[in-house]
Amino acid sequence: MSTDSWAGRWLVTGAGGMLGQDVLTVLERARIEAVGLRRADLDITDPAAVRAAVEGVTVVVNCAAWTDVDGAETAEEAATAVNGAAVRVLAEACAAAHVRLIHVSTDYVLPGDATEPYREDAETGPVNAYGRSKLVGEQAVTELLPQDGYVVRTAWLYGEHGPNFVATMLKLAAQRDTLDVVDDQHGQPTWSYALARHLVELGRAALKGWAMGGIYHGTASGRTTWMGLAREAYRLSGLDPERIRPTGSDAFVRPAVRPAFSVLAHDNWEAAGLEPLADWRAQLAEAITRPAFADLLRPSATR
């Protein structure tokens, strides 16, 4: 198989996760040489190991992260070590080696109290420990790599390679007649494979000098609630959407506060000459035909 030699060699950290696996698949299909390192392969808190990993690389896509939002409430220092301090280590190594860094962040760095989509330059204000830890990582990238650092905030991510809300809803369809789902949190459900394609396109645009460093919002277009997402997943799967019943966030009290409004604007994609991600319904319609989701429907198809 030939490769896009102009794109050089890419490194994907956190390659064992849902998004990391999808990024590697997209790179393979794009015929871009890439290496994926899982947590066991690379300690991103180790400066020497990180420097060695980025040697000879043109682009790093950092998908490594502490993702236990509730767990971070009682282990904020540990979460920040991975989501903040380790990102600084990675950014320092990329700056020294003149490597472009695409760092995946989150809507949780924002306060979640807006009524209009958050622009990329909106004031941050995390409402939980996880968001604070991710903001430390963002700040490291923008400080150390003002030209070659790309912070991509995503939200409400689902995909084939890990636990996620869509998969959970489809599994529960075989177990329960009805489900109560939160209808007062607003966001943009984003398919991890669709985001992976955009991360790769952003990296290619960066190498060609089209995309400036900075913050990008990697979420689907449009907006809905968790209830809206669940109902659409059921509708697309041939299930009765009315089995999903609305409820409020107060019915599911969790250790970490969740932002009530996670709708992001996508202006910087256009500035980079790239289209924003597709509408969340179109993404879900494509994703749900994949085997990992389709297989979940077989036990519940007769309900």
Side-chain angles (χ1 to χ4, degrees):
M1 181 178 70
S2 62
T3 61
D4 282 348
S5 57
W6 64 268
R9 181 170 172 266
W10 294 36
L11 168 66
V12 180
T13 59
M18 179 168 63
L19 179 59
Q21 291 186 63
D22 281 339
V23 172
L24 285 174
T25 298
V26 172
L27 288 168
E28 181 182 2
R29 291 175 178 172
R31 299 186 174 184
I32 295 174
E33 182 183 357
V35 60
L37 297 179
R38 298 169 179 253
R39 183 186 308 171
D41 304 320
L42 175 65
D43 178 1
I44 62 172
T45 66
D46 182 342
V50 170
R51 286 195 296 269
V54 303
E55 185 176 350
V57 167
T58 52
V59 178
V60 173
V61 183
N62 182 36
C63 300
W66 173 297
T67 57
D68 182 358
V69 175
D70 289 325
E73 290 298 303
T74 54
E76 185 167 354
E77 184 176 349
T80 305
V82 176
N83 292 341
V87 177
R88 176 167 289 275
V89 168
L90 187 57
E92 288 173 341
C94 288
H98 303 290
V99 172
R100 290 169 176 83
L101 171 61
I102 298 174
H103 170 63
V104 180
S105 190
T106 173
D107 63 300
Y108 279 36
V109 302
L110 299 164
D113 58 357
T115 56
E116 295 295 328
Y118 283 102
R119 293 172 54 89
E120 291 87 348
D121 59 357
E123 185 174 352
T124 55
V127 295
N128 56 39
Y130 169 73
R132 290 191 293 271
S133 74
K134 292 293 286 185
L135 182 57
V136 173
E138 282 197 9
Q139 292 168 338
V141 175
T142 55
E143 173 195 336
L144 297 169
L145 292 164
Q147 302 299 324
D148 294 330
Y150 301 80
V151 172
V152 181
R153 294 172 180 157
T154 193
W156 291 30
L157 209 61
Y158 64 91
E160 297 181 83
H161 303 298
N164 61 86
F165 178 82
V166 172
T168 297
M169 291 297 101
L170 295 180
K171 288 177 184 176
L172 290 175
Q175 303 169 18
R176 302 182 190 175
D177 290 329
T178 61
L179 291 168
D180 294 337
V181 179
V182 171
D183 195 36
D184 58 3
Q185 294 176 18
H186 299 260
Q188 297 160 307
T190 304
W191 182 26
S192 60
Y193 187 79
L195 175 60
R197 289 187 301 214
H198 262 60
L199 294 178
V200 172
E201 286 305 308
L202 179 60
R204 296 171 96 168
L207 290 172
K208 292 178 179 179
W210 298 344
M212 301 296 293
I215 295 173
Y216 293 76
H217 285 164
T219 53
S221 300
R223 67 177 76 176
T224 189
T225 65
W226 290 112
M227 186 199 75
L229 172 57
R231 282 188 169 180
E232 184 67 3
Y234 272 37
R235 187 188 70 79
L236 290 168
S237 303
L239 303 171
D240 181 6
E242 295 302 316
R243 291 172 58 188
I244 305 296
R245 305 183 306 190
T247 191
S249 298
D250 55 358
F252 296 96
V253 178
R254 304 176 72 175
V257 175
R258 264 56 176 182
F261 190 82
S262 294
V263 180
L264 310 183
H266 307 108
D267 297 337
N268 282 358
W269 291 108
E270 183 178 354
L274 301 171
E275 292 288 332
L277 275 76
D279 184 82
W280 70 272
R281 294 179 185 83
Q283 288 188 26
L284 184 61
E286 184 178 355
I288 217 159
T289 63
R290 296 296 182 96
F293 290 116
D295 289 348
L296 295 173
L297 297 173
R298 290 176 183 151
S300 60
T302 59
R303 262 193 192 270

